[in-house]
Every structure is written in C-alpha cells, then in structure tokens.
C-alpha cells in the first residue's frame, strides 16, 4: 500500500474534525435522555433513605424489645422476691402462733407434767404443806375421838342428845398429789387451795377444841345446884352455835375440794394435750428449715426466670439484686465469679446469748407475744370461773409472760439451753427471768427452804432448736431495735436512700448480640458493635401503712418480716404482783384478734446512678461485651440520670 502524502493526511484530519463538530452540534441541539440522570440520582437517594428508615426502624424495634425484656426481668425478679418475703412473713407468723400455743399449754402444767405422770414431791412447798395438812388432820381426829367419848346423856333434855359428823372434808382430794411443775399455774393454784384448806382445818380444829370444852363445862354445870341448869342451857346454846360454825367450815372445805377436783380435771386434760404439744418444737424446726430452703433456692429460681425471659426475647439477660454491694463494697465475692443473683434482703436474727441483745425484742418473741396476749383472754377468764379462790387466772397470766421468754429462748438457742425454769433454776436469785428485787428475794428465801426441806432432782438440760427467724438485713446491726435501721434514719436521708438502694432494688440488664444485619452496612455504621443493651430497675417494698406508736406497741417499719396491722403489744416483763392488774388490762383491750397483712409488693423504679455503677462493676467482670457496652454508662452515669 502506497504511503499517503502530507497533503492527503492533512485533508483527512480536517475532514474528521468537521465530522465530529457536526456530531456535537447535533447532540447539543437534541434534548432526548436528559431525565435519565435525574432518575439515577433519585433512585440512589431513595435507596439511601429506605435503608436509613429500615435501619432506624429495625434498631428502634430492637431497642424496644430489649427494653421490654429488661423491664420484664426487673419486675419479675422483684415479684418473685416479694412472694418470697410474703412467704417468710407468713411462716414467721405461723411459727409465732405455734409457739404461742406451746406457751399457753406450758403455763398450765410446766415441764414436770409433760415428762411425768407422777406426783411432784420434790419442792419444799409440797413437803411442808403435806406435813402441815397431815398434822392438822391428826389433831382433828384426836379431838373428834375425845368428843366421841363424852356422854351427852345429861344434856339430852337441853336439846344436845346427839352430835352430827364434825370431821374435816376433802382431805383425800386435797392431798392426792400435784402432777404439775413448780413453775406453773396449776401447781401454784393448788398450793393456794391447800393453804386455804389448811387454814380452814386450823379453824376447824380450834372450833372442835372449843366445842369439847363447852360440852364438858355444860355437863359440869349440871352439878351446880339451883343455877346449874340455866348455866348448862346457855353453854348448850353456845355449843350448838359452834356446831353450826363447824358445819359452815365444812361447807367451805367442800367448796375448796370441788375447786380442787376441777383443777385435777384440768390437770388431766393438760396432760392429755401434752402429747401433741411435744410435736410443736419439731414442727417449728421444720418450718424454719423450709424458710431456709426458700431463701437459698429463691436466687436460683429468679435466675432461671431471667434466663427463660432472655431466651424468649432472644436476649442475653442479667439481674443484680440486693446486698451484693453494701457501702460501696462487694459483700459477696462469689458474685464476681458466678452469675449475678437477686438474693433476698433477709438474714437470720442474732444468736441467743449475743452480748447486748435484748431477747425481749427478738423477732421470735415479737411474733409470739401478741398471740399469747390474745388467746389467754379466752383461757384466763374460764380458769378464773373454774377456780376463783385459787387465783389461777393471775398465775396463768404470770406464767404465760415468763414462758413466752423461755420458749422463745429455747427455740433460738443453738446449744444446750440452761435457763429453763426448772425446780432448780427457780431457786437462783440471778436467774435472767427473775427481777432483782421482789422475785430475787423470793428466789433466795425459796432456795434456803429448798435446802432444808426439799429434794433437788437432777436438772436435765435441753437442746435448743436453733430456730432464728429471718429479719430484714440491717436489723441485726442495731441489735434488734426496729426503727433505728440505716434505711429508717430520717437524720441522714442520703445514707438511708443508699442502703435501701443496696438492699431492696434489682437492676436488670438485657443485651442483644452484635451480629445484627443492617441495610448498607458498609455505608451505615453499627452504633453498638457489641449489641444493644437496656437496663431497668425495680424495688420490693412493704405497702402496709405506718403510724405513730407508743412504747407499749411494737414498732412498724417500712421493711419488716412480720407485717402487723394495727395495734400489737410489745413484750414487757412482769411479776406475780402485777399479774392481776395485767389480766384486768387485757380485758379492757378487748378481744380483737391481731391482724396481719402480707403486703410485700413490687414496682418498677427509675434507674439510680449508684445501682447502675454497681451493676456495671459486677456484670462487667464476667462478660467482656457487656463491659464494653456498660463502660459509657458507668463513666457517665450521672449525666444519664433524669431524676
């Protein structure tokens, strides 16, 4: 092919340029296809907006679902805790009622009646009274024999030709033996009747001696001339009057014998009831073991519930309950190793014998005493009607007071219980249930007589049951003084709020995984690569109303495991001298039954800064993803609070 010349090349180039210029001119003059660019831009914009709306909706929906899961976990945890607290409150009262029944029966016959069915012959009171009664009866019998040997023939014309039976009444009944314990109302009531009978026998003996002398003087007066018959007639009238007085004494003796027989019947009934009564301490021990089981199992139950809710919502779930943190310090080191738990805000009350702890303010006595006060009103009045001469109603009140203390101490003791009111212990002047004045003096005098006249049977100690009721945490710190707990401190409300936050609130956490797929993930950044996390907080509380109290009533506090409603008595020590007045006071209080309201409830509350920081510390140590998400919360908790 021949090469083109320069002229030809130049002509060709110009031709091409002209052709391209004409094509461009035609293109600029043609408006076809211009909208395509707008469509492309619009499609790209709407695709971005759709992805944005889709991602926003998906994220908001996931956050709402996560928040719902968190709320459900927090509220359900508080509900289960409230159920557990109501169960503890109910079982505390059941224990108190059973102990009250035990006290009411024990005050009748005491320990000896429970363990034996033989006369209680060891106390010096029994020995001395038996000797006095036998001596009086022998004396009466001797005088009656002397009276029987007198010939009344000369006095027949004066109306005294025969004598009725003038012997004493009720001796066999009154000396039939006392089967109850020295420290019991039946024992003391029988001793009172025996003392009254002894006084009647002494009067009886005195009247018989006077009668013998009067009859002998009348017979001798007949030998006096002229006025002898007149003197004898006057002495016969006096003798008949003495006989009537003796008959009146015999009527009183029969009345005392009748009351004594009723006490014997009461003693037999109490003995029959002692067999089921002996089961009560075992039942109380079993109830306490159930309480311990509930307290120990409840955290596991709540955790299973948390896992169930988390699985249902396809979220990772945690719960942080009360007292993991106290005063800013982790109280349970295991909470940083095992899964966090919602532990019930309770603990067993202080051990029996704790220094400076007033047993009268123990939860056991506070659960028992109101029932004792209420039920003994229905027992003390019938007892008084059965035997008003014996003062058994006053004795019964006295021993229900003392055995309320003893029975509660026996249940609370974990070791051998040595302070039981046995025959030996009641002689000690330093016994904890006897006062330093009147009861102490009585105990000292009684101990001296016991050494001389009585017999000291071996004192068999009893093993305590180690039943210590559950109380709200913090009460033990104040040695059982309700109303002085940290969360009730009105003078330091900040400390009170913190302690309540530590003990009674639950913080729940629900978290999604970090694999959430978004539209346009390469363009739209995942805000939380580790997942979305939501927190909620709940509280357990007692909704019973509070009111002003006086010293004779039990204090009502915001959080308590008794839940009394209305007036309930606080235990106050008494002695036999004030027992009768206390019995009258019981009647004036009426017969209204103590009321209980199981009113532990749950509610959602705003998340507090303190709880949020504590939870982030506990949970973050176990889950790295949670820690990464929680760090902003922990570092900026104060800025996130809206209350």
């Amino acid at each position: 092919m021949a090469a083109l010349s320069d002229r030809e090349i130049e002509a060709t180039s110009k031709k091409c340029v002209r052709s391209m210029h004409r094509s461009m001119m035609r293109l600029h003059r043609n408006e076809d296809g211009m909208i395509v660019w707008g469509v492309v831009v619009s499609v790209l914009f709407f695709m971005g907006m759709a992805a944005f709306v889709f991602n926003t909706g998906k994220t908001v929906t996931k956050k709402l679902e996560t928040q719902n899961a968190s709320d459900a976990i927090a509220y359900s945890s508080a509900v289960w805790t409230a159920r557990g607290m109501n169960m503890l409150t109910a079982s505390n009262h059941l224990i108190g009622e059973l102990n009250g029944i035990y006290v009411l029966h024990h005050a009748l016959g005491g320990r000896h009646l429970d363990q034996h069915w033989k006369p209680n012959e060891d106390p010096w009171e029994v020995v001395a009274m038996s000797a006095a009664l036998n001596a009086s009866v022998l004396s009466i019998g001797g005088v009656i024999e002397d009276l029987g040997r007198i010939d009344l023939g000369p006095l027949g014309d004066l109306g005294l030709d025969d004598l009725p039976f003038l012997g004493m009444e009720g001796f066999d009944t009154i000396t039939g033996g006392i089967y109850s314990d020295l420290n019991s109302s039946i024992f003391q009531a029988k001793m009172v009747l025996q003392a009254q009978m002894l006084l009647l026998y002494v009067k009886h003996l005195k009247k018989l001696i006077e009668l013998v002398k009067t009859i002998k003087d009348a017979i001798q007066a007949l030998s006096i001339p002229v006025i002898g018959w007149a003197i004898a007639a006057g002495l016969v009238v006096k003798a008949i009057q003495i006989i009537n007085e003796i008959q009146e004494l015999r009527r009183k003796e029969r009345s005392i014998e009748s009351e004594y027989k009723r006490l014997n019947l009461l003693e037999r009934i109490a003995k029959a009831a002692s067999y089921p009564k002996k089961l009560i301490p075992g039942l109380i021990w079993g109830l306490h073991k159930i309480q311990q089981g509930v307290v120990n199992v409840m955290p596991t139950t709540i955790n299973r519930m948390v896992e169930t809710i988390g699985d249902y919502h396809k979220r990772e779930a945690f719960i942080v309950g009360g007292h993991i943190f106290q005063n800013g310090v982790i109280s349970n080191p295991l909470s940083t190793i095992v899964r966090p738990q919602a532990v019930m805000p309770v603990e067993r009350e202080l051990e029996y014998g704790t220094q400076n702890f007033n047993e009268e303010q123990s939860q056991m006595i506070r659960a028992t005493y109101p029932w004792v006060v209420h039920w003994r009103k229905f027992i003390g009045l019938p007892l008084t009607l059965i035997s008003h001469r014996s003062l058994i109603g006053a004795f019964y009140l006295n021993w229900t007071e003392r055995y309320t203390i003893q029975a509660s101490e026996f249940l609370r003791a974990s070791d051998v219980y040595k302070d039981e009111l046995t025959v030996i212990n009641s002689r000690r002047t330093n016994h904890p249930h006897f006062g330093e004045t009147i009861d102490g003096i009585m105990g000292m005098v009684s101990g001296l007589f016991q050494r001389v006249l009585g017999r000291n049977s071996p004192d068999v100690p009893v093993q305590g049951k180690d039943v210590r009721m559950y109380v709200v945490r913090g009460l033990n710190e104040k040695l059982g003084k309700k109303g002085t707990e940290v969360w009730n401190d009105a003078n330091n409300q900040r400390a009170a709020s913190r302690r309540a936050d530590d003990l009674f609130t639950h913080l729940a956490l629900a978290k999604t995984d970090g694999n959430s797929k978004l539209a346009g993930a390469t363009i739209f950044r995942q805000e939380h690569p580790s997942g979305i996390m939501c927190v909620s907080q709940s509280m357990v509380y007692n909704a019973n109303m509070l009111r002003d109290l006086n010293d004779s009533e039990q204090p009502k506090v915001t959080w308590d495991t008794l839940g009394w409603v209305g007036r309930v008595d606080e235990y106050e020590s008494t002695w036999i001298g004030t027992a009768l007045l206390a019995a009258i006071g019981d009647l004036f209080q009426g017969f209204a039954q103590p009321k209980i309201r199981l009113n532990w409830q749950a509610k959602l509350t705003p998340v507090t800064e303190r709880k949020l920081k504590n939870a982030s510390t506990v949970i973050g140590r176990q889950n790295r993803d949670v820690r990464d998400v929680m760090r902003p919360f922990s570092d900026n908790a104060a800025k996130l609070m809206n209350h």
Side-chain angles (χ1 to χ4, degrees):
M1 183 176 179
L4 296 176
S5 63
D6 294 336
R7 185 177 292 181
E8 290 176 339
I9 293 174
E10 183 180 359
T12 303
S13 298
K14 290 181 179 180
K15 185 177 180 180
C16 290
V17 169
R18 285 194 298 271
S19 176
M20 291 176 61
H21 183 265
R22 285 194 296 269
S23 298
M24 292 297 295
M25 292 299 293
R26 286 195 301 268
L27 180 62
H28 282 289
R29 288 194 298 268
N30 189 359
E31 295 182 358
D32 293 340
M34 289 298 294
I35 198 170
V36 172
W37 294 103
V39 170
V40 171
V41 173
S42 298
V43 168
L44 292 176
F45 175 77
F46 282 111
M47 287 179 63
M49 289 298 297
F52 178 77
V53 171
F54 173 79
N55 292 342
T56 301
K58 187 174 182 179
T59 302
V60 171
T61 301
K62 184 165 289 190
K63 285 186 176 181
L64 289 175
E65 291 175 350
T66 306
Q67 186 63 58
N68 289 339
S70 176
D71 290 345
I73 293 168
Y75 185 72
S76 298
S77 174
V79 167
W80 274 98
T81 303
R83 290 173 180 171
M85 296 300 292
N86 282 327
M87 182 271 170
L88 289 180
T89 302
S91 55
N92 276 351
H93 280 290
L94 184 54
I95 289 174
E97 292 176 39
L98 287 172
N99 193 32
I101 295 173
Y102 184 94
V103 169
L104 294 172
H105 180 277
H106 209 66
L108 290 174
R111 183 180 183 184
H112 189 277
L113 186 65
D114 289 347
Q115 297 182 349
H116 311 284
W117 187 238
K118 63 180 182 180
N120 186 3
E121 299 175 347
D122 293 338
W124 70 266
E125 293 91 339
V126 174
V127 176
M129 187 62 68
S130 178
L133 288 171
N134 284 318
S136 64
V137 168
L138 289 175
S139 300
I140 290 173
V143 175
I144 290 178
E145 288 182 2
D146 291 342
L147 188 62
R149 288 192 291 267
I150 299 176
D151 183 11
L152 299 177
L155 301 178
D157 295 338
L158 297 175
L160 195 64
D161 55 348
D162 191 16
L163 292 175
F165 177 74
L166 299 176
M168 68 287 179
E169 296 281 351
F171 177 76
D172 292 338
T173 300
I174 210 78
T175 58
I178 303 177
Y179 294 82
S180 297
D181 195 88
L182 166 70
N183 305 298
S184 68
S185 53
I186 292 179
F187 181 96
Q188 294 183 338
K190 283 189 171 183
M191 291 300 298
V192 169
L193 291 182
Q194 287 185 1
Q196 292 178 7
M197 187 69 88
L198 177 61
L199 292 176
L200 290 176
Y201 285 171
V202 171
K203 291 181 180 179
H204 197 142
L205 176 61
K206 181 180 178 181
K207 291 296 180 182
L208 284 174
I209 294 173
E210 185 180 357
L211 178 62
V212 170
K213 182 179 182 301
T214 302
I215 292 176
K216 288 182 178 180
D217 290 345
I219 293 175
Q220 290 179 358
L222 291 175
S223 61
I224 301 175
V226 183
I227 62 173
W229 282 95
I231 296 174
L235 291 173
V236 167
V237 172
K238 180 180 179 181
I240 293 175
Q241 182 180 0
I242 293 174
I243 291 173
N244 290 334
E245 291 176 355
I246 293 175
Q247 294 290 22
E248 178 63 20
L249 289 175
R250 295 181 70 244
R251 185 192 66 78
K252 292 180 179 179
E253 291 168 0
R254 287 193 297 270
S255 177
I256 291 178
E257 179 188 21
S258 177
E259 287 195 16
Y260 203 92
K261 287 181 178 179
R262 290 195 286 270
L263 291 182
N264 283 339
L265 177 60
L266 176 64
E267 199 170 41
R268 287 193 290 270
I269 295 174
K271 177 61 179 178
S274 68
Y275 297 106
K277 167 212 174 174
K278 293 177 184 178
L279 301 176
I280 290 179
L283 291 175
I284 291 176
W285 180 85
L287 281 172
H288 186 59
K289 290 302 178 183
I290 293 175
Q291 286 184 322
Q292 290 178 302
V294 170
V295 172
N296 293 331
V297 171
M298 186 60 70
T300 303
T301 302
I302 292 176
N303 263 1
R304 290 180 179 176
M305 176 272 300
V306 170
E307 293 173 359
T308 300
I309 295 177
D311 292 341
Y312 177 80
H313 289 275
K314 298 179 180 179
R315 301 293 190 275
E316 190 172 5
F318 297 93
I319 188 73
V320 177
H323 89 270
I324 287 181
F325 266 81
Q326 290 188 16
N327 300 323
V329 180
I330 297 178
S331 61
N332 181 11
L334 289 178
S335 61
T336 64
I337 302 174
V338 300
R339 188 178 183 86
Q341 295 180 332
V343 183
M344 296 182 67
V346 293
E347 61 185 343
R348 298 176 74 196
E349 64 179 336
L350 294 173
E351 295 182 2
Y352 167 68
T354 300
Q355 187 176 6
N356 298 327
F357 179 68
N358 185 359
E359 286 293 327
E360 296 177 4
Q361 294 181 347
S362 69
Q363 198 82 330
M364 180 69 73
I365 290 181
R366 282 172 164 162
T368 300
Y369 187 64
W371 295 109
V372 171
V373 172
H374 173 65
W375 286 332
R376 75 184 176 196
K377 297 174 186 177
F378 300 94
I379 301 176
L381 183 59
L383 290 179
T384 301
L385 297 176
I386 288 173
S387 179
H388 64 280
R389 288 185 177 87
S390 68
L391 302 178
I392 189 173
F395 290 131
Y396 186 70
L397 184 142
N398 177 59
W399 288 112
T400 54
E401 293 281 328
R402 300 195 177 197
Y403 280 127
T404 297
I405 285 280
Q406 179 198 294
S408 300
E409 289 180 342
F410 160 65
L411 289 173
R412 284 173 29 77
S414 58
D415 202 349
V416 174
Y417 180 60
K418 300 178 181 179
D419 290 329
E420 188 172 10
L421 288 173
T422 60
V423 174
I424 294 177
N425 283 342
S426 65
R427 311 299 181 185
R428 296 197 326 223
T429 58
N430 62 342
H431 192 276
H433 306 312
F434 286 78
E436 298 178 356
T437 54
I438 297 178
D439 275 336
I441 295 173
M442 291 173 62
M444 181 178 63
V445 174
S446 180
L448 294 176
F449 279 107
Q450 183 69 18
R451 289 188 178 186
V452 177
L453 301 174
R455 292 178 296 178
N456 280 340
S457 58
D459 188 14
V460 180
V462 294
Q463 180 66 38
K465 294 294 183 180
D466 193 27
V467 176
R468 291 183 284 134
M469 283 187 173
Y470 280 95
V471 297
V472 176
R473 288 184 177 273
L475 182 60
N476 287 341
E477 299 175 9
K478 301 298 181 178
L479 298 176
K481 297 178 182 178
K482 290 185 180 178
T484 64
E485 302 91 337
V486 175
W487 63 82
N488 277 322
D489 189 356
N491 297 323
N492 192 347
Q493 295 185 2
R494 183 173 180 82
S497 177
R498 287 184 173 183
R499 191 60 183 274
D501 196 52
D502 287 341
L503 291 176
F504 308 111
T505 61
H506 297 174
L507 188 135
L509 181 148
K511 175 185 170 299
T512 64
D513 55 33
N515 298 323
S516 179
K517 295 182 179 180
L518 298 178
T522 57
I523 300 176
F524 296 98
R525 182 177 66 87
Q526 172 60 272
E527 185 69 21
H528 300 292
S530 299
I532 298 174
M533 188 196 71
C534 294
V535 293
S536 300
Q537 187 167 312
S538 60
M539 171 181 282
V540 290
Y541 66 100
N542 195 315
N544 289 343
M545 296 294 293
L546 307 180
R547 62 190 184 91
D548 295 333
L549 306 171
N550 54 54
D551 293 338
S552 64
E553 295 184 44
Q554 290 190 25
K556 313 288 194 312
V557 296
T558 309
W559 289 283
D560 191 19
T561 55
L562 286 181
W564 293 113
V565 177
R567 186 187 191 282
V568 285
D569 293 302
E570 184 79 288
Y571 182 88
E572 294 184 45
S573 299
T574 184
W575 62 284
I576 187 60
T578 60
L580 184 58
L581 295 177
I584 296 174
D586 281 353
L587 295 178
F588 277 106
Q589 290 180 11
F591 293 87
Q593 177 175 311
K595 295 181 180 179
I596 307 159
R597 182 176 296 140
L598 304 180
N599 208 11
W600 281 91
Q601 297 185 18
K603 64 180 180 180
L604 290 174
T605 61
V607 177
T608 59
E609 175 185 355
R610 179 181 179 83
K611 199 73 174 183
L612 187 61
K613 287 185 176 180
N614 292 345
S616 64
T617 302
V618 174
I619 301 176
R621 293 188 181 187
Q622 303 172 64
N623 190 301
R624 181 176 180 180
D625 290 340
V626 172
R627 182 182 61 200
D628 293 340
V629 178
M630 287 289 287
R631 184 177 291 114
F633 283 86
S634 179
D635 296 339
N636 301 283
K639 298 179 180 179
L640 297 172
M641 298 299 103
N642 57 4
H643 62 283

